[in-house]
Amino acid sequence: MADYANAGVVIETVPPSEMGAAIAADAAKKAKFGTIHLLIRGFLCTPFLAYGACVVFAMVAAGIPLAVAGLVFPAGYVTLSFLGLEMATGSFATMPIGMYAGTITPLQLIRNWAWTLGGNLIGGIFFGWLLWFSLTKGGAVPPDGMLKVIAQTAEAKVTYIHYGVIGWCAAIGKGVLCNWLVSLGSVMSKATRSTVGRVVLMWIPIGMFFALGFEHTVVNMWLFPTAILSGANVSIYEWWVWNQIPVTIGNILGAMVLNGTLWYFTHTLQKD
């Protein structure tokens, strides 16, 4: 942080080259986490994303447009970020930067992704069941408005099946568009040393993603279980083959190629 004492001004902005170094250092720390800790941090992560999304779906059920309600969603992401939890979609950008910088190995990258995704999935299924069980009294009462919106959203998320291979590729494309933005939450959090500044910089790309309706693999890990339990016309096969798998591929490409490779590459050549 540059301190201009004579002018009495403290500059809190961190240049991109220093951001890359900080992210590479974070990747090295993540590589040292034990398997149980990756699972626990991944497990605890997904429910906070779900909490933010549930607020959005409750607002939509009350008649508020998704483009407006979606701007509330980043509250969940900010919470999990400050709690030091692990979201795979962020690691899709940070771990490649660590690999390019030499702070981690390719094997450590794969290990982090695999266990974090596993923890995210377990946390998503658990939260989805707990939410459905609590709101329907174990299925004794019909799903409320919010659960109906979640079910409708899940049904819309598997309509790629109607377009065959092109639809499957479109799901990848929406995954790329999503995580090009979402993984910036991890990247842009390094652009300032101010707590308020970090919140604002993370909020911007995360809010845009949800308001635009792109596809996020970790969000879908709780949304589909909740929707299926709530009576959505979606099979487990449709969930995985026509959404979860292509969306995960797209999320990896969006974060790793566009942020973890191209953004990092240009700022290692041209120092700010």
Side-chain angles (χ1 to χ4, degrees):
M1 178 169 62
D3 186 356
Y4 295 90
N6 293 334
V9 177
V10 176
I11 305 300
E12 294 182 331
T13 302
V14 178
S17 57
E18 293 182 22
M19 290 166 58
I23 293 169
D26 280 353
K29 294 177 183 177
K30 290 174 181 284
K32 295 177 181 177
F33 292 158
T35 299
I36 186 62
H37 294 292
L38 284 174
L39 285 171
I40 291 173
R41 295 183 189 205
F43 172 87
L44 293 174
C45 162
T46 312
F48 287 107
L49 283 181
Y51 277 127
C54 283
V55 173
V56 174
F57 290 129
M59 293 171 68
V60 170
I64 298 174
L66 176 62
V68 176
L71 297 176
V72 177
F73 172 73
Y77 178 85
V78 170
T79 301
L80 71 89
S81 178
F82 279 102
L83 289 174
L85 305 179
E86 290 292 312
M87 186 173 71
T89 48
S91 293
F92 291 162
T94 58
M95 299 306 282
I97 288 175
M99 183 177 67
Y100 297 141
T103 60
I104 68 167
T105 66
L107 184 61
Q108 288 174 318
L109 176 148
I110 293 171
R111 174 182 174 274
N112 174 274
W113 286 3
W115 288 115
T116 301
L117 277 169
N120 289 162
L121 178 60
I122 296 169
I125 293 173
F126 171 75
F127 181 91
W129 172 82
L130 184 61
L131 180 68
W132 167 83
F133 180 85
S134 301
L135 296 182
T136 66
K137 312 300 187 293
V141 299
D144 63 8
M146 182 183 73
L147 290 177
K148 289 179 180 178
V149 172
I150 292 172
Q152 292 166 359
T153 301
E155 291 173 350
K157 283 177 174 286
V158 295
T159 54
Y160 304 110
I161 193 172
H162 301 313
Y163 304 95
V165 174
I166 295 298
W168 203 80
C169 292
I172 293 177
K174 291 186 79 171
V176 171
L177 290 168
C178 164
N179 215 28
W180 193 355
L181 284 171
V182 173
S183 64
L184 284 179
S186 299
V187 174
M188 291 178 67
S189 69
K190 300 298 182 183
T192 178
R193 296 184 176 92
S194 161
T195 298
V196 173
R198 287 182 63 200
V199 171
V200 173
L201 289 177
M202 288 188 288
W203 202 284
I204 294 171
I206 306 300
M208 286 193 291
F209 130 71
F210 204 92
L212 289 170
F214 294 144
E215 296 280 5
H216 188 265
T217 187
V218 181
V219 169
N220 291 345
M221 287 175 176
W222 76 268
L223 187 143
F224 275 98
T226 307
I228 291 171
L229 288 169
S230 300
N233 186 25
V234 177
S235 68
I236 294 176
Y237 165 81
E238 290 171 330
W239 164 24
W240 279 91
V241 175
W242 290 97
N243 186 286
Q244 199 73 50
I245 292 173
V247 166
T248 302
I249 293 171
N251 283 178
I252 291 172
L253 292 175
M256 182 174 185
V257 175
L258 298 170
N259 291 329
T261 301
L262 294 180
W263 173 83
Y264 178 72
F265 178 70
T266 189
H267 288 296
T268 57
L269 287 180
Q270 180 64 50
K271 301 295 184 182
D272 295 284

